Structures are given as C-alpha cells and as structure tokens.
Amino acid sequence: MGRAGFVAGNWKMHGSLVRNQELLDAVVSGTRSLQNVSCVVCVPYPYIAQTQSVLEGSHVLWGGQNVSQYHHGAYTGEVSADMLADLGCRYVIVGHSERRTLFGEGNQVVAEKFRAAQEHSITPILCVGETLAQRESDETEQVIAMQLDAVIDLAGIEALGQSVIAYEPVWAIGTGKTATPEIAQSVHAHIRAYLAGFSADVAAKVQILYGGSVTGATAAELFGQADIDGGLVGGASLKPEDFAQIIAGAKQ
Ligand code: PEP
C-alpha cells in the first residue's frame, strides 16, 4: 500500500494573534478538498490554544516545535508531552537542527524527547540531516545513521515506525538552497534502506519528509520522488499562497 502525503509547517518563532488567525483561516480553506494528505502546523507554544480553536473540526492538525524529555516537575520553562496532548497536539517536531545546534540538543536528548512524545500518543516528527561540512567530508550517511540509531536504541525500531522522519540537510534550512530532487531522493532512499536492515515493514511504511527551503515552485518535483512523502516547511509555511501550493504538490 502506498504511503500517504504529508506536509507539516514549522512556524518557528513567528506569529501574533492577528496574523495567525489570517494564516490559519487560509490553511483551512486551502485544504478543504484534500484527501489522503495529512497537513499539520507546528506553532509556538503560546499560540497552540488559538490554533486548536481555529483548526478543530478541520482537515488540518496541529503540533508543537519541541517538547521536554521530562514528564513533570521542577523544570522551569519546559513544556511536557502531556501538556501538548492536553491542547490537542497530535504531532511534535523533535531534533530540529536549530534545537540541535543553537540549544545543544544531542542525539540522546532527542531520543528521550521522541520517547516522551510517544508515551503521550503524540507522533514525533524526527529531524535528521547533515551540515555542509559533514556533506563535504562525505559523512552524510554516517551522521544520519547515528541520529537514527539513538532513537532505535532507546525506543526501538517499531517505535520509529510509528513516527514521521524529516530529512533536513542543515545547509538547506532557511538558506534558500534546496537540495536537488536527486540529492534528496538519494538520501531518502538511503534512510529507507538503512531502516530495512532493522525492519522491512518499518522501512516500507514510514513517511519520510524532505525539509529545506521548500517553496511552492519546488515542492511538486521534490514530492514526486519515490521515497519523498512530503515536506517539513519553514519559511514558506508563513505565506498562505506558497503553503497552499506546497500542499497541492503532495501525493494524494
Ligand atoms: C524547517 O524549519 O524545518 C525548514 C525546513 O525551514 P525552511 O523551509 O525555511 O528552510
């Protein structure tokens, strides 16, 4: 059975009550006729309640951009998976490269966040990908294997099969540089082949998104590749027309 298309928007640290309302209304109307494509917006914590109230009952789901690895307690400033679930979040991004590089999240912490999300029935969108220096020294496959291994070791391969993976080459995030469809497809195929070494079933069913400067103009060709099931979209998810075009490019 084919994998359904999936498009997730990552608003990063952008938004305001007024601006969000316009954006969410546009996403709802742009997805009315969608079938067999999941669409999710991952918004800043303070706007999750607003997002829930606008999206409830629509085709669009919502989620967080980060989650604590802890469940509750004296962790000032943290937000638990339980709290995200309380606000109807069905997805959460874990291991985004901005979290890894700017906030020092290593593979082990990312794996713990992944597990915490699943313990509260939230599907993690696990980001993996190499920096430019790692690509240039031919370490892409090794880096991604280590990122995946940390999750497989802690949560197990079947748990990975209950997640969404986003391949996000760090050099393409927010830079305007998109990996060519061929480069992206070859890494996606590698990820699937790597997972097949643990479980053919998981490798075949897990949705693998591409992320890195996807726009309305580049989405359809990227998503047309055999192992690319959709996208994780930053900047363009804040532009209603671009985002609608990206969603329209997803496999139905
Ligand atoms: C992202 O934040 O996950 C992302 C892919 O950003 P952008 O689309 O802006 O490169």
Side-chain angles (χ1 to χ4, degrees):
M1 205 181 76
R3 294 177 299 272
F6 193 111
V7 175
N10 172 16
W11 288 8
K12 311 196 189 202
M13 199 171 72
H14 295 290
S16 69
L17 289 174
V18 172
R19 171 104 185 79
N20 303 345
Q21 183 73 45
E22 291 167 14
L23 195 49
L24 292 168
D25 287 344
V27 176
V28 171
S29 61
T31 50
R32 264 193 238 289
S33 57
L34 265 195
Q35 290 197 350
N36 209 26
V37 176
S38 300
C39 181
V40 181
V41 288
C42 295
V43 307
Y45 293 142
Y47 299 134
I48 292 177
Q50 177 195 23
T51 301
Q52 178 181 31
S53 77
V54 178
L55 297 184
E56 198 118 62
S58 79
H59 273 79
V60 187
L61 301 168
W62 58 95
Q65 300 173 8
N66 183 26
V67 66
S68 177
Q69 66 270 46
Y70 304 115
H71 294 292
H72 53 82
Y75 300 105
T76 302
E78 290 291 281
V79 171
S80 70
D82 202 13
M83 294 171 186
L84 294 182
D86 228 2
L87 289 167
C89 290
R90 297 270 302 277
Y91 290 88
V92 68
I93 299 171
V94 297
H96 191 281
S97 64
E98 288 153 14
R99 302 288 328 162
R100 292 179 188 264
T101 55
L102 302 174
F103 300 97
E105 291 182 10
N107 287 338
Q108 182 60 26
V109 166
V110 171
E112 288 169 13
K113 289 178 178 225
F114 179 105
R115 185 175 62 178
Q118 285 191 332
E119 282 171 355
H120 292 277
S121 303
I122 296 178
T123 303
I125 300 174
L126 171 69
C127 298
V128 298
E130 80 288 3
T131 63
L132 185 59
Q134 289 164 338
R135 168 158 286 268
E136 285 174 348
S137 41
D138 221 10
E139 291 172 42
T140 300
E141 294 185 357
Q142 192 191 330
V143 167
I144 293 174
M146 277 163 37
Q147 292 167 335
L148 294 171
D149 281 350
V151 172
I152 296 168
D153 288 349
L154 189 76
I157 186 67
E158 294 303 326
L160 196 61
Q162 302 298 322
S163 75
V164 174
I165 296 173
Y167 167 56
E168 297 213 307
V170 181
W171 46 273
I173 297 179
T175 58
K177 285 185 197 154
T178 312
T180 62
E182 294 72 29
I183 290 179
Q185 165 57 25
S186 82
V187 179
H188 280 236
H190 167 75
I191 292 173
R192 229 178 265 294
Y194 185 73
L195 296 180
F198 296 87
S199 161
D201 177 51
V202 167
K205 78 175 181 193
V206 72
Q207 288 160 307
I208 309 179
L209 314 181
Y210 170 77
S213 300
V214 176
T215 65
T218 58
E221 199 185 348
L222 282 160
F223 302 168
Q225 305 299 309
D227 291 293
I228 302 183
D229 303 311
L232 177 56
V233 182
S237 72
L238 299 167
K239 299 177 193 155
E241 283 173 17
D242 235 11
F243 197 51
Q245 210 184 338
I246 291 169
I247 292 165
K251 288 174 188 138
Q252 301 240 359

